[in-house]
Amino acid sequence: MLKQVLEYELKLHQVQKQLEKLKGWREILFTLALAERSYPNYVLFCELAEVENTKAYRALLDTLWRALEEKTSSSVINALLLKLERLVPDAEAYDMYGVKPALDSCALVESVMFGWLNPENRRALEASQSSLATVTDFIEYAEGEGLDEDELVELFDAHPFVVQESEFQSQCFRLIKPERYPTRELLQKVKRIAANEGVSNIGIALD
């Protein structure tokens, strides 16, 4: 298991070194894949908080996936940003851990749209680190009580959620980087991998 963890960490480190080179549709697609993987985290928050935003959030994500196949104007993306603002939970209004991964998910979706509006600013690396931070924050919350800093690092390094996140990001990068265009086949494949049969990066399942 340790050898597998080290291999995945090395892959992710190598990927993160190259993420700043991603631009245009590749950067948007990579970040959208991370947002898609986080979708169940938002759904669970809505269920626990009894907020009926799930359908609107799902529709927003689906619109972004379709937008990569089409020539989407900045006015459309600006309109989607306004929709997202209405779906972002108020962290201070909810006394539950679930609001944090939901906010992390919203931040990834926002980053996708900023990638369209401000393509000069590289965001793929920040999105990668943010998605991994969601995982490690959850592990610390769920399993890290009473552990010191060194013990937490040890816990993260060997945790299956970290291994899965590392492999997922590496796989997305390998699929996206060599392609010349965001073909429908590529988008469907990346979306299917990102959806992960309805299981999020912290193990939240839609069913």
Side-chain angles (χ1 to χ4, degrees):
M1 179 64 180
L2 178 59
K3 180 180 179 182
Q4 184 184 35
V5 170
L6 292 174
E7 287 175 352
Y8 285 142
E9 286 184 344
L10 179 60
K11 286 180 185 177
L12 183 57
H13 178 68
Q14 291 171 339
V15 166
Q16 288 184 334
K17 286 174 64 177
Q18 300 179 69
L19 284 177
E20 290 184 325
K21 300 176 184 179
L22 283 185
K23 58 183 180 179
W25 67 265
R26 292 180 180 86
E27 180 178 47
I28 292 169
L29 178 54
F30 179 83
T31 307
L32 182 55
L34 301 183
E36 180 68 38
R37 179 63 67 99
S38 73
Y39 169 66
N41 301 338
Y42 186 87
V43 173
L44 179 62
F45 161 75
C46 289
E47 291 179 355
L48 294 175
E50 298 183 346
V51 177
E52 296 183 359
N53 286 344
T54 300
K55 288 183 179 180
Y57 198 74
R58 179 67 263 170
L60 181 58
L61 278 171
D62 289 341
T63 300
L64 291 172
W65 282 104
R66 289 194 299 271
L68 275 167
E69 288 190 69
E70 306 161 359
K71 292 184 177 179
T72 304
S73 67
S74 58
S75 61
V76 171
I77 300 301
N78 277 316
L80 293 175
L81 267 173
L82 292 176
K83 289 184 179 181
L84 177 63
E85 287 178 8
R86 294 193 288 269
L87 299 174
V88 176
D90 180 0
E92 296 183 359
Y94 299 97
D95 185 21
M96 63 173 73
Y97 179 83
V99 70
K100 187 182 186 308
L103 285 168
D104 291 347
S105 180
C106 291
L108 287 171
V109 176
E110 182 182 60
S111 187
V112 171
M113 290 187 269
F114 282 154
W116 256 294
L117 298 174
N118 300 301
E120 297 83 10
N121 296 336
R122 303 275 75 84
R123 291 185 172 83
L125 177 58
E126 182 181 345
S128 168
Q129 294 168 337
S130 174
S131 185
L132 185 59
T134 300
V135 174
T136 54
D137 286 348
F138 176 75
I139 295 170
E140 182 175 2
Y141 168 76
E143 305 176 31
E145 185 176 358
L147 300 183
D148 61 28
E149 187 173 334
D150 290 339
E151 289 169 331
L152 279 174
V153 170
E154 205 172 306
L155 174 63
F156 297 155
D157 285 347
H159 203 283
F161 286 173
V162 173
V163 172
Q164 291 162 16
E165 177 71 14
S166 300
E167 176 59 15
F168 166 58
Q169 291 196 24
S170 300
Q171 185 178 16
C172 285
F173 179 82
R174 292 195 303 269
L175 284 171
I176 295 167
K177 184 66 169 68
E179 298 296 326
R180 297 182 63 187
Y181 306 103
T183 63
R184 177 171 295 183
E185 181 182 6
L186 174 64
L187 293 176
Q188 289 176 343
K189 187 172 185 178
V190 173
K191 186 178 182 181
R192 183 176 67 253
I193 292 169
N196 195 34
E197 298 183 343
V199 181
S200 79
N201 54 351
I202 57 174
I204 303 301
L206 288 178
D207 59 357

